[in-house]
Amino acid sequence: MSTQGLVDVHAHFTTPHYIEAAKAAGHVQPDGMPEDYWPRWSAEEHLAFMDEAGIAKAMLSLSSPGAHFGDDRAARSLSREINEFCAQTVREHPDRFGQFATLPLPDVDGALTEIAYCFDELGADGVALMSNHAGIRLADERLAPVLSELDRRAAVVLLHPTTCPGHEALSSSWPRPMMEFLFETARTVIDFVLSGAATRFSRIRLIVPHLGGVLPLLTARVEAFRTISGEPTGRVTVTEILGRFYYDLAGMPSKQQIAALTSIAGPDRLLYGSDYAWTRRELALHLLASLDSTLGDEHENWRALTTRNADLVLGQGSGR
Protein backbone atom coordinates (compact mmCIF):
# COMPACT_ATOMS: atom_id res chain seq x y z
CA MET A 1 0.00 0.00 0.00
CA SER A 2 2.61 2.56 1.05
CA THR A 3 6.28 2.52 0.19
CA GLN A 4 7.17 5.54 2.30
CA GLY A 5 5.49 7.93 4.69
CA LEU A 6 2.98 7.37 7.45
CA VAL A 7 -0.40 5.71 7.15
CA ASP A 8 -2.95 7.67 9.19
CA VAL A 9 -5.77 5.38 10.34
CA HIS A 10 -7.55 8.05 12.41
CA ALA A 11 -8.38 10.96 10.11
CA HIS A 12 -11.71 12.71 9.76
CA PHE A 13 -13.71 14.68 7.23
CA THR A 14 -16.97 16.61 7.20
CA THR A 15 -19.31 17.95 4.55
CA PRO A 16 -21.32 21.19 4.75
CA HIS A 17 -24.61 19.29 4.63
CA TYR A 18 -23.50 16.91 7.37
CA ILE A 19 -22.63 19.82 9.66
CA GLU A 20 -26.00 21.42 8.95
CA ALA A 21 -27.82 18.16 9.71
CA ALA A 22 -25.91 17.66 12.95
CA LYS A 23 -26.56 21.21 14.12
CA ALA A 24 -30.25 20.92 13.23
CA ALA A 25 -30.39 17.81 15.42
CA GLY A 26 -28.99 19.75 18.40
CA HIS A 27 -25.25 19.21 17.97
CA VAL A 28 -24.46 22.91 17.71
CA GLN A 29 -21.59 22.49 20.13
CA PRO A 30 -20.14 19.13 19.06
CA ASP A 31 -19.63 16.98 22.17
CA GLY A 32 -19.50 20.15 24.24
CA MET A 33 -16.86 21.89 22.11
CA PRO A 34 -17.45 25.46 20.87
CA GLU A 35 -19.67 25.81 17.83
CA ASP A 36 -16.82 27.20 15.74
CA TYR A 37 -14.85 24.03 16.37
CA TRP A 38 -16.77 22.21 13.64
CA PRO A 39 -14.05 21.64 11.00
CA ARG A 40 -14.76 22.78 7.45
CA TRP A 41 -12.92 20.02 5.62
CA SER A 42 -11.45 20.01 2.13
CA ALA A 43 -9.32 17.42 0.38
CA GLU A 44 -6.87 20.10 -0.71
CA GLU A 45 -6.20 21.34 2.82
CA HIS A 46 -5.97 17.78 4.12
CA LEU A 47 -3.44 16.84 1.44
CA ALA A 48 -1.37 19.93 2.25
CA PHE A 49 -1.30 18.88 5.91
CA MET A 50 -0.35 15.33 4.94
CA ASP A 51 2.51 16.54 2.75
CA GLU A 52 3.88 18.69 5.56
CA ALA A 53 3.53 15.88 8.11
CA GLY A 54 5.00 13.15 5.94
CA ILE A 55 1.73 11.20 5.75
CA ALA A 56 1.48 9.01 2.66
CA LYS A 57 -2.14 7.92 3.10
CA ALA A 58 -5.05 8.82 5.37
CA MET A 59 -8.06 6.62 6.08
CA LEU A 60 -11.04 8.99 6.14
CA SER A 61 -13.89 8.46 8.60
CA LEU A 62 -16.74 10.41 10.11
CA SER A 63 -16.21 11.34 13.74
CA SER A 64 -18.63 11.86 16.62
CA PRO A 65 -21.59 12.43 16.74
CA GLY A 66 -22.07 10.00 13.84
CA ALA A 67 -24.92 10.18 11.34
CA HIS A 68 -28.00 8.95 13.23
CA PHE A 69 -29.99 11.74 14.87
CA GLY A 70 -33.13 9.85 15.82
CA ASP A 71 -34.76 9.02 12.50
CA ASP A 72 -33.81 5.80 10.71
CA ARG A 73 -34.79 6.92 7.22
CA ALA A 74 -32.90 10.21 7.55
CA ALA A 75 -29.86 8.38 8.96
CA ARG A 76 -29.81 5.94 6.04
CA SER A 77 -29.96 8.80 3.55
CA LEU A 78 -27.29 10.84 5.33
CA SER A 79 -24.97 7.83 5.73
CA ARG A 80 -25.29 7.00 2.02
CA GLU A 81 -24.56 10.61 1.07
CA ILE A 82 -21.50 10.72 3.35
CA ASN A 83 -20.18 7.40 2.10
CA GLU A 84 -20.59 8.31 -1.54
CA PHE A 85 -18.84 11.64 -0.95
CA CYS A 86 -15.95 9.87 0.76
CA ALA A 87 -15.72 7.22 -1.95
CA GLN A 88 -15.58 9.91 -4.63
CA THR A 89 -12.75 11.61 -2.75
CA VAL A 90 -10.87 8.30 -2.64
CA ARG A 91 -11.43 7.80 -6.38
CA GLU A 92 -9.96 11.23 -7.04
CA HIS A 93 -6.93 10.56 -4.81
CA PRO A 94 -6.59 6.75 -4.66
CA ASP A 95 -2.97 6.81 -3.49
CA ARG A 96 -3.61 9.30 -0.69
CA PHE A 97 -6.98 8.47 0.86
CA GLY A 98 -8.87 5.39 1.98
CA GLN A 99 -12.37 4.99 3.43
CA PHE A 100 -13.79 3.77 6.72
CA ALA A 101 -17.51 3.80 6.01
CA THR A 102 -20.28 5.32 8.11
CA LEU A 103 -23.20 3.14 9.25
CA PRO A 104 -26.66 4.41 10.31
CA LEU A 105 -26.60 2.59 13.65
CA PRO A 106 -28.51 1.80 15.82
CA ASP A 107 -30.64 1.00 12.73
CA VAL A 108 -29.41 -2.58 12.23
CA ASP A 109 -31.21 -3.27 8.95
CA GLY A 110 -29.96 0.00 7.52
CA ALA A 111 -26.44 -0.77 8.71
CA LEU A 112 -26.43 -4.20 7.06
CA THR A 113 -27.56 -2.67 3.78
CA GLU A 114 -24.86 -0.02 4.02
CA ILE A 115 -22.13 -2.55 4.84
CA ALA A 116 -22.92 -4.47 1.66
CA TYR A 117 -23.07 -1.30 -0.43
CA CYS A 118 -19.89 0.23 0.94
CA PHE A 119 -17.75 -2.90 0.71
CA ASP A 120 -19.16 -4.43 -2.47
CA GLU A 121 -19.92 -1.30 -4.50
CA LEU A 122 -17.74 1.48 -3.09
CA GLY A 123 -14.72 -0.62 -2.16
CA ALA A 124 -14.46 0.69 1.41
CA ASP A 125 -11.45 -0.37 3.47
CA GLY A 126 -13.41 -0.78 6.69
CA VAL A 127 -16.04 0.89 8.86
CA ALA A 128 -16.04 3.36 11.72
CA LEU A 129 -18.29 2.62 14.69
CA MET A 130 -19.11 4.92 17.57
CA SER A 131 -18.50 3.70 21.14
CA ASN A 132 -22.25 3.82 21.59
CA HIS A 133 -25.15 4.39 19.23
CA ALA A 134 -28.00 6.05 21.11
CA GLY A 135 -26.67 4.35 24.23
CA ILE A 136 -26.33 0.93 22.60
CA ARG A 137 -22.76 -0.28 22.96
CA LEU A 138 -20.75 -2.49 20.67
CA ALA A 139 -21.36 -5.71 22.63
CA ASP A 140 -25.13 -5.21 22.91
CA GLU A 141 -26.92 -8.25 21.50
CA ARG A 142 -29.03 -5.95 19.34
CA LEU A 143 -25.91 -5.19 17.29
CA ALA A 144 -24.94 -8.87 16.92
CA PRO A 145 -26.14 -9.11 13.29
CA VAL A 146 -23.89 -6.19 12.36
CA LEU A 147 -20.89 -7.62 14.20
CA SER A 148 -21.54 -11.03 12.66
CA GLU A 149 -21.47 -9.57 9.15
CA LEU A 150 -18.32 -7.56 9.89
CA ASP A 151 -16.75 -10.71 11.33
CA ARG A 152 -17.70 -12.70 8.23
CA ARG A 153 -15.89 -10.12 6.15
CA ALA A 154 -12.90 -9.94 8.52
CA ALA A 155 -13.52 -6.19 8.40
CA VAL A 156 -11.34 -3.46 9.82
CA VAL A 157 -13.36 -1.52 12.42
CA LEU A 158 -12.20 1.83 13.75
CA LEU A 159 -13.83 2.48 17.10
CA HIS A 160 -14.44 6.12 17.97
CA PRO A 161 -15.70 7.57 21.26
CA THR A 162 -18.83 9.67 21.33
CA THR A 163 -21.00 11.27 23.98
CA CYS A 164 -22.93 8.76 26.06
CA PRO A 165 -26.34 9.12 27.73
CA GLY A 166 -26.01 10.69 31.15
CA HIS A 167 -22.87 12.57 30.23
CA GLU A 168 -24.10 15.60 32.16
CA ALA A 169 -23.36 13.77 35.40
CA LEU A 170 -19.98 12.54 34.18
CA SER A 171 -18.27 15.39 32.36
CA SER A 172 -18.93 18.24 34.83
CA SER A 173 -19.86 20.44 31.86
CA TRP A 174 -16.36 20.20 30.37
CA PRO A 175 -16.06 19.22 26.69
CA ARG A 176 -16.44 15.46 26.54
CA PRO A 177 -13.28 14.85 24.47
CA MET A 178 -11.15 16.21 27.33
CA MET A 179 -11.78 13.37 29.79
CA GLU A 180 -14.99 11.49 29.12
CA PHE A 181 -13.97 10.16 25.71
CA LEU A 182 -11.06 8.30 27.32
CA PHE A 183 -13.37 6.58 29.81
CA GLU A 184 -16.04 6.00 27.17
CA THR A 185 -13.53 4.11 25.03
CA ALA A 186 -12.59 1.93 28.00
CA ARG A 187 -16.24 1.19 28.86
CA THR A 188 -17.00 -0.02 25.37
CA VAL A 189 -13.88 -2.13 24.93
CA ILE A 190 -14.14 -3.74 28.39
CA ASP A 191 -17.79 -4.56 27.70
CA PHE A 192 -16.79 -6.00 24.32
CA VAL A 193 -14.24 -8.25 26.05
CA LEU A 194 -16.19 -9.33 29.15
CA SER A 195 -19.39 -10.04 27.22
CA GLY A 196 -17.56 -12.58 25.09
CA ALA A 197 -18.22 -10.59 21.90
CA ALA A 198 -14.49 -10.08 21.27
CA THR A 199 -14.03 -13.85 21.19
CA ARG A 200 -17.27 -14.54 19.33
CA PHE A 201 -16.38 -12.06 16.60
CA SER A 202 -12.64 -12.58 16.65
CA ARG A 203 -12.11 -12.00 12.91
CA ILE A 204 -13.00 -8.31 13.27
CA ARG A 205 -9.83 -6.24 13.15
CA LEU A 206 -10.58 -3.69 15.84
CA ILE A 207 -8.65 -0.42 16.05
CA VAL A 208 -8.99 1.14 19.50
CA PRO A 209 -8.45 4.91 19.45
CA HIS A 210 -6.40 7.32 21.53
CA LEU A 211 -3.93 4.74 22.92
CA GLY A 212 -6.89 2.90 24.44
CA GLY A 213 -7.91 5.86 26.60
CA VAL A 214 -7.66 4.78 30.24
CA LEU A 215 -8.01 1.13 29.25
CA PRO A 216 -4.37 0.11 29.96
CA LEU A 217 -4.68 1.41 33.52
CA LEU A 218 -7.79 -0.68 34.22
CA THR A 219 -6.75 -4.03 32.77
CA ALA A 220 -5.39 -5.66 35.93
CA ARG A 221 -8.35 -4.39 37.94
CA VAL A 222 -10.85 -5.80 35.44
CA GLU A 223 -9.06 -9.15 35.46
CA ALA A 224 -9.18 -9.23 39.27
CA PHE A 225 -12.92 -8.63 39.28
CA ARG A 226 -13.42 -11.47 36.82
CA THR A 227 -11.79 -13.71 39.40
CA ILE A 228 -13.93 -12.30 42.20
CA SER A 229 -17.06 -12.98 40.16
CA GLY A 230 -16.14 -16.65 40.00
CA GLU A 231 -15.10 -17.12 36.39
CA PRO A 232 -13.10 -20.34 35.91
CA THR A 233 -9.32 -20.32 36.01
CA GLY A 234 -7.32 -21.10 32.90
CA ARG A 235 -9.41 -18.78 30.73
CA VAL A 236 -7.92 -16.34 28.24
CA THR A 237 -7.02 -13.23 30.21
CA VAL A 238 -8.23 -9.72 29.54
CA THR A 239 -4.68 -8.69 28.69
CA GLU A 240 -4.38 -11.48 26.12
CA ILE A 241 -7.62 -10.46 24.42
CA LEU A 242 -6.67 -6.78 24.42
CA GLY A 243 -3.35 -7.73 22.88
CA ARG A 244 -5.19 -8.89 19.75
CA PHE A 245 -6.56 -5.42 19.01
CA TYR A 246 -4.79 -2.52 17.31
CA TYR A 247 -4.26 0.85 18.97
CA ASP A 248 -3.87 4.21 17.29
CA LEU A 249 -1.71 6.99 18.67
CA ALA A 250 -4.19 9.80 18.03
CA GLY A 251 -4.78 12.29 20.79
CA MET A 252 -2.13 13.75 23.04
CA PRO A 253 0.22 10.84 23.75
CA SER A 254 2.69 11.26 26.59
CA LYS A 255 5.53 9.01 27.68
CA GLN A 256 3.33 7.80 30.54
CA GLN A 257 0.46 6.89 28.21
CA ILE A 258 2.75 5.11 25.79
CA ALA A 259 4.37 3.17 28.63
CA ALA A 260 0.92 2.12 29.88
CA LEU A 261 -0.14 1.04 26.40
CA THR A 262 2.89 -1.23 26.03
CA SER A 263 1.54 -3.27 28.95
CA ILE A 264 -1.25 -4.56 26.70
CA ALA A 265 -0.10 -3.97 23.12
CA GLY A 266 3.06 -5.14 21.39
CA PRO A 267 4.88 -2.99 18.82
CA ASP A 268 3.08 -4.82 16.01
CA ARG A 269 -0.26 -3.43 17.27
CA LEU A 270 0.60 0.27 17.11
CA LEU A 271 -0.87 2.50 14.39
CA TYR A 272 -0.49 6.19 13.69
CA GLY A 273 -3.47 8.52 13.92
CA SER A 274 -3.55 12.31 13.53
CA ASP A 275 -7.21 13.00 14.41
CA TYR A 276 -7.10 15.71 11.74
CA ALA A 277 -9.31 17.66 10.91
CA TRP A 278 -10.86 17.71 14.40
CA THR A 279 -7.35 18.20 15.69
CA ARG A 280 -6.25 21.40 14.01
CA ARG A 281 -3.26 21.42 11.69
CA GLU A 282 -0.82 23.20 14.03
CA LEU A 283 -1.61 20.95 16.97
CA ALA A 284 -1.52 17.80 14.83
CA LEU A 285 1.96 18.73 13.61
CA HIS A 286 3.07 19.45 17.18
CA LEU A 287 1.77 16.09 18.40
CA LEU A 288 3.52 14.32 15.55
CA ALA A 289 6.81 15.94 16.57
CA SER A 290 6.12 14.82 20.14
CA LEU A 291 5.71 11.25 18.94
CA ASP A 292 9.05 11.48 17.15
CA SER A 293 10.58 12.36 20.51
CA THR A 294 8.71 10.00 22.82
CA LEU A 295 8.65 6.95 20.57
CA GLY A 296 12.10 7.49 19.14
CA ASP A 297 13.68 6.23 22.36
CA GLU A 298 12.00 2.81 22.04
CA HIS A 299 11.63 2.40 18.29
CA GLU A 300 14.40 3.65 16.04
CA ASN A 301 11.93 4.20 13.23
CA TRP A 302 8.42 4.21 14.68
CA ARG A 303 7.03 5.74 11.51
CA ALA A 304 8.10 2.75 9.43
CA LEU A 305 6.86 0.41 12.18
CA THR A 306 3.33 1.85 12.31
CA THR A 307 3.14 2.10 8.53
CA ARG A 308 4.10 -1.55 8.19
CA ASN A 309 1.46 -2.46 10.78
CA ALA A 310 -1.17 -0.44 8.93
CA ASP A 311 -0.28 -2.04 5.62
CA LEU A 312 -0.72 -5.47 7.19
CA VAL A 313 -4.04 -4.86 8.93
CA LEU A 314 -5.58 -2.99 6.01
CA GLY A 315 -4.34 -5.53 3.51
CA GLN A 316 -5.82 -8.41 5.48
CA GLY A 317 -9.09 -6.69 6.34
CA SER A 318 -10.44 -6.14 2.85
CA GLY A 319 -14.08 -6.60 3.88
CA ARG A 320 -14.75 -8.84 0.92
Side-chain angles (χ1 to χ4, degrees):
M1 177 184 294
S2 54
T3 57
Q4 58 183 354
L6 286 162
V7 175
D8 183 355
V9 302
H10 190 139
H12 299 306
F13 71 101
T14 63
T15 69
H17 180 246
Y18 170 68
I19 295 174
E20 292 173 7
K23 286 184 175 182
H27 298 277
V28 175
Q29 295 181 298
D31 295 302
M33 298 292 286
E35 179 179 355
D36 62 4
Y37 209 79
W38 274 106
R40 300 284 176 170
W41 183 88
S42 74
E44 293 71 25
E45 289 183 359
H46 199 149
L47 289 168
F49 159 71
M50 290 167 63
D51 289 341
E52 187 171 1
I55 298 171
K57 191 162 191 174
M59 311 305 296
L60 298 176
S61 63
L62 196 70
S63 185
S64 177
H68 197 295
F69 303 127
D71 180 271
D72 285 353
R73 179 177 295 182
R76 293 183 186 191
S77 176
L78 183 58
S79 296
R80 179 62 57 90
E81 176 186 310
I82 290 165
N83 287 328
E84 290 185 336
F85 171 86
C86 188
Q88 179 60 33
T89 301
V90 172
R91 284 192 291 270
E92 292 169 358
H93 307 278
D95 296 328
R96 304 304 304 276
F97 292 129
Q99 179 179 15
F100 288 159
T102 296
L103 304 182
L105 288 172
D107 172 16
V108 169
D109 289 341
L112 291 171
T113 298
E114 201 63 16
I115 287 172
Y117 180 73
C118 288
F119 281 130
D120 300 337
E121 303 296 329
L122 299 183
D125 300 280
V127 302
L129 300 181
M130 298 296 108
S131 57
N132 77 83
H133 297 270
I136 301 175
R137 299 196 182 278
L138 200 58
D140 192 294
E141 192 60 28
R142 285 171 286 184
L143 300 188
V146 173
L147 295 183
S148 179
E149 178 60 12
L150 293 173
D151 183 77
R152 185 185 72 81
R153 293 174 177 267
V156 176
V157 173
L158 174 68
L159 182 67
H160 198 283
T162 189
T163 295
C164 68
H167 68 87
E168 298 87 353
L170 298 171
S171 59
S172 301
S173 77
W174 294 106
R176 273 80 79 187
M178 185 176 79
M179 293 184 296
E180 177 53 24
F181 271 20
L182 303 183
F183 290 93
E184 173 67 7
T185 296
R187 285 189 201 100
T188 295
V189 175
I190 289 172
D191 188 38
F192 188 57
V193 170
L194 295 186
S195 68
T199 300
R200 182 179 171 192
F201 305 112
S202 61
R203 298 181 73 236
I204 289 176
R205 303 176 190 277
L206 184 68
I207 301 174
V208 182
H210 305 136
L211 297 89
V214 299
L215 184 61
L217 303 179
L218 298 174
T219 304
R221 185 177 180 88
V222 172
E223 184 64 44
F225 272 81
R226 290 178 77 197
T227 302
I228 292 170
S229 67
E231 290 195 22
T233 59
R235 64 189 182 276
V236 178
T237 68
V238 172
T239 300
E240 289 172 321
I241 297 173
L242 294 177
R244 301 170 184 169
F245 304 152
Y246 295 85
Y247 297 84
D248 74 47
L249 300 168
M252 299 184 180
S254 64
K255 287 186 177 181
Q256 294 85 351
Q257 284 179 295
I258 292 171
L261 179 60
T262 59
S263 68
I264 61 171
D268 62 329
R269 297 286 150 168
L270 301 181
L271 301 170
Y272 172 68
S274 70
D275 221 341
Y276 183 91
W278 282 95
T279 296
R280 303 289 172 83
R281 171 184 163 277
E282 294 78 8
L283 179 55
L285 291 170
H286 170 73
L287 294 172
L288 180 55
S290 296
L291 279 173
D292 282 328
S293 175
T294 55
L295 277 176
D297 294 338
E298 285 192 46
H299 306 288
E300 185 176 348
N301 193 341
W302 74 268
R303 292 182 178 226
L305 170 69
T306 59
T307 294
R308 183 168 62 251
N309 294 343
D311 286 348
L312 287 172
V313 68
L314 292 169
Q316 295 171 357
S318 65
R320 304 299 189 270

